[in-house]
Amino acid sequence: MKYSLEKRTPEKQQSDCIVLPLFEDLQLSPESSYIDQASSQSISTLIERKDFDAKAGSTMLLDGNNTSHTRILLIGLGKQDAFNAATLKKSMVAAANTIKKTQTKTALVSFDGVSLKDCSQSWLMRFAIEAINDSLYIFDDFKTTKADKSELNTVSFYCGDSINSAEAEKAISEGSAIAAGVSVAKTLGNLPGNICTPTYLATQAKEIAKNNSTVTTTILDEEKMAALGMHSLLSVSAGSEEPAHLIIMEYKGGKESDKAHVLVGKGVTFDSGGISLKPGESMDEMKYDMCGAASVFGTMTAITSLKPNINVTAIVAAAENMPDGKATKPGDIVSTLSGQTVEILNTDAEGRLVLCDALTYAEQNHNPASIVDIATLTGACIIALGHHTTGLLGNDDALADELLSASTEAADKAWRLPLWDEYQPQLDSNFADMQNIGGRPAGTITAACFLSRFAKKMKWAHLDIAGTAWVSGKNKGATGRPVPMLTQYILNKVN
Ligand code: BES
Ligand code: MN
Ligand code: ZN
């Protein structure tokens, strides 16, 4: 898709479809008024008849009449005082959903008269690009009859003449890069577990290095991990025919001597629960248990295209959790790379077991400036925050605040939960240094408490994306979250 900023007013341009946003007060912007007049009052007539209410997400497609545009698409933005990034995204998804059913190849979106609170005008484009990408995303690799692809190939934006061009270009390139990263994360998430194995993820990481001179990829196999002492990570893949891999991708945009910011992704390519087997219903959704890793791949994709002057290291702990004669059993005790021992009371609490060794590996080998892990870690996080909000925990207030700001700016919601010491005793074990479960109360917090024991020497944050990484039900699919937040977090460090 080609996105661009247009400085010429819409009446001086031609397109297959002009998109005109309207608030519920139904006041036409100067450009909408012009189109209205040129089209024999087609818009004001509709408004007078109360045929279009401009509720957020509503659309109405009209003939372009005598204007220089083949079609006119009205989109509702809802109430002006309630307008925010989420409503803008909803409206733009609705617009793209309508456009993709037509033969429209070129669209012009007029943001004249529209502004977002606390944001400059260019953010409208950024969010619109992400929304259009969401709407046009198709995953039909495994369908023999392919979905009809949309004809749309060019979207231009008109934002009035006061817009700062440099800022607008930046918004367009950031929006496009984030959109591409979100698509990468969605596709990795959507791939079935028989394709997207730990080895597949390792191959993808090598591809990224092959295509980008700024990235080097290193893969540790099971033998190497065993030699290092990563027995916690290896306990998860013990029952699987698929070998585990530790995948390291280093992006060097900064000085050689700059410490890297590290992103660690949970890459459990299928989580059956292991010997603590999960119930059968919806077990297929546990193919998404690598969405933390997918978000790391997506963020690296965005970063390699934007090339910020910063060093970012991605580490993916990739394993498959299966029951088998060789599988880890409840009660088994393993030693971690850190030297601490863990009594595994539930083999379904495997995410923390792969992540703890990845955290220690990062600490020992990469001396991180900061470290953020991203994981579909606990069902409890869905109970706490539902499907709208990512859980954020960590040991460094400044880092947590940076992530929360990035989350707000990127319209990719997150909320911090406490990590107070009072919760730590829930992990006490009779036989080892700790056990891997903390009982039912505060499951998201005790999971983070477990990880915190491996991140003591680092500025560390943890994102629990169990509720936000995919949607269930009829429109089942990965969301690509939290690629927007993570990319913004990295960009904010250089901007
Ligand atoms: N991958 C799951 C968490 C999960 C469950 C994410 C449902 C999204 C939807 C994780 O490995 C897991 O099984 N966690 C257990 C932990 C428990 C055994 C302490 C859980 O949440 O039930
Ligand atoms: Mn599990
Ligand atoms: Zn899991």
Side-chain angles (χ1 to χ4, degrees):
M1 187 72 60
K2 247 192 77 210
Y3 295 104
S4 62
L5 175 73
E6 266 294 352
K7 288 264 192 171
R8 288 175 302 160
T9 56
E11 68 261 27
K12 299 215 177 73
Q13 299 181 49
Q14 286 191 326
S15 78
D16 296 340
C17 184
I18 180 161
V19 180
L20 297 174
L22 269 177
F23 286 110
E24 274 181 43
D25 63 9
L26 300 170
Q27 294 300 311
L28 295 182
S29 68
E31 290 314 318
S32 304
S33 297
Y34 181 85
I35 300 288
D36 184 43
Q37 280 159 29
S39 65
S40 326
Q41 276 78 40
S42 62
I43 304 172
S44 44
T45 308
L46 266 177
I47 291 174
E48 265 159 42
R49 285 192 203 137
K50 297 196 180 347
D51 283 348
F52 186 68
D53 59 11
K55 290 253 180 320
S58 59
T59 60
M60 189 169 277
L61 188 63
L62 314 173
D63 181 55
N65 242 310
N66 295 321
T67 70
S68 50
H69 307 278
T70 316
R71 300 169 187 79
I72 300 171
L73 178 64
L74 301 181
I75 61 168
L77 298 181
K79 292 203 165 50
Q80 185 142 20
D81 52 11
F83 185 60
N84 58 28
T87 23
L88 172 67
K89 279 193 180 178
K90 183 175 166 187
S91 307
M92 287 308 303
V93 166
N97 284 346
T98 305
I99 289 175
K100 73 183 177 192
K101 292 190 211 118
T102 71
Q103 298 300 309
T104 298
K105 291 189 175 65
T106 60
L108 170 65
V109 182
S110 173
F111 279 135
D112 180 35
V114 181
S115 62
L116 270 173
K117 216 169 58 201
D118 305 327
C119 287
S120 67
Q121 195 89 41
S122 46
W123 283 85
L124 291 165
M125 290 183 282
R126 154 87 180 263
F127 292 136
I129 292 169
E130 289 179 42
I132 293 167
N133 181 65
D134 266 332
S135 160
L136 299 187
Y137 176 83
I138 297 176
F139 182 74
D140 61 1
D141 295 10
F142 299 93
K143 296 226 188 233
T144 48
T145 317
K146 300 296 179 193
D148 285 337
K149 296 241 155 40
S150 143
E151 296 284 318
L152 190 65
N153 58 40
T154 308
V155 178
S156 15
F157 299 99
Y158 174 73
C159 295
D161 48 18
S162 58
I163 190 156
N164 175 320
S165 296
E167 214 178 87
E169 290 308 326
K170 188 164 152 263
I172 291 174
S173 70
E174 291 181 357
S176 309
I178 290 172
V182 163
S183 292
V184 163
K186 282 186 186 180
T187 296
L188 285 173
N190 287 335
L191 283 169
N194 59 331
I195 305 287
C196 184
T197 59
T199 304
Y200 181 90
L201 290 179
T203 310
Q204 292 306 302
K206 285 186 217 151
E207 277 297 303
I208 292 189
K210 212 156 108 193
N211 300 329
N212 296 280
S213 58
T214 47
V215 178
T216 47
T217 293
T218 313
I219 315 284
L220 303 193
D221 61 13
E222 290 197 339
E223 211 182 318
K224 181 85 208 247
M225 287 191 273
L228 290 173
M230 303 178 80
H231 302 294
S232 179
L233 191 155
L234 291 171
S235 76
V236 174
S237 64
S240 169
E241 295 289 321
E242 295 292 340
H245 296 290
L246 190 76
I247 301 165
I248 302 122
M249 289 172 274
E250 290 172 86
Y251 164 81
K252 286 240 152 60
K255 290 203 255 350
E256 192 58 40
S257 58
D258 289 350
K259 282 193 193 180
H261 294 273
V262 177
L263 304 174
V264 179
K266 170 180 174 183
V268 173
T269 57
F270 189 74
D271 178 15
S272 69
I275 296 297
S276 313
L277 194 65
K278 285 185 180 292
E281 197 180 303
S282 302
M283 205 208 264
D284 65 291
E285 295 194 3
M286 283 300 121
K287 73 171 185 178
Y288 294 117
D289 213 15
M290 35 57 70
C291 281
S295 75
V296 167
F297 275 96
T299 304
M300 288 309 260
T301 304
I303 289 175
T304 50
S305 106
L306 293 169
K307 301 189 172 52
N309 299 326
I310 188 171
N311 293 340
V312 180
T313 297
I315 300 182
V316 167
E320 187 185 65
N321 187 20
M322 295 289 274
D324 173 79
K326 290 202 175 68
T328 300
K329 305 169 291 298
D332 285 1
I333 296 179
V334 294
S335 63
T336 64
L337 178 59
S338 73
Q340 301 176 88
T341 56
V342 179
E343 182 186 14
I344 300 176
L345 290 182
N346 189 323
T347 63
D348 196 12
E350 85 298 338
R352 61 199 81 181
L353 295 175
V354 298
L355 289 172
C356 70
D357 278 347
L359 289 171
T360 306
Y361 183 85
E363 182 202 287
Q364 292 179 351
N365 299 281
H366 293 277
N367 189 22
S370 71
I371 186 160
V372 181
D373 76 72
I374 308 99
T376 47
L377 205 63
T378 62
C381 193
I382 310 177
I383 304 302
L385 297 172
H387 292 285
H388 304 291
T389 310
T390 293
L392 162 64
L393 302 99
N395 63 10
D396 187 272
D397 291 342
L399 174 59
D401 286 344
E402 279 179 49
L403 284 160
L404 286 175
S405 317
S407 137
T408 308
E409 286 171 67
D412 186 3
K413 285 192 161 57
W415 194 258
R416 191 171 179 189
L417 298 174
L419 193 66
W420 290 313
D421 288 341
E422 282 84 341
Y423 295 96
Q424 292 281 356
Q426 286 178 238
L427 297 172
D428 287 350
S429 156
N430 280 354
F431 303 115
D433 296 342
M434 68 194 89
Q435 57 189 41
N436 76 329
I437 51 171
R440 279 175 64 80
T444 303
I445 297 174
T446 54
C449 282
F450 183 94
L451 297 176
S452 74
R453 297 174 179 216
F454 301 84
K456 286 203 180 104
K457 296 183 199 144
M458 303 182 282
K459 290 182 180 163
W460 159 78
H462 158 65
L463 297 174
D464 194 329
I465 57 167
T468 50
W470 75 89
V471 289
S472 309
K474 212 157 163 27
N475 293 321
K476 190 154 67 183
T479 60
R481 291 178 67 184
V483 170
M485 180 200 326
L486 290 171
T487 308
Q488 191 64 50
Y489 159 73
I490 296 295
L491 292 178
N492 285 354
K493 292 193 173 293
V494 287
N495 286 345

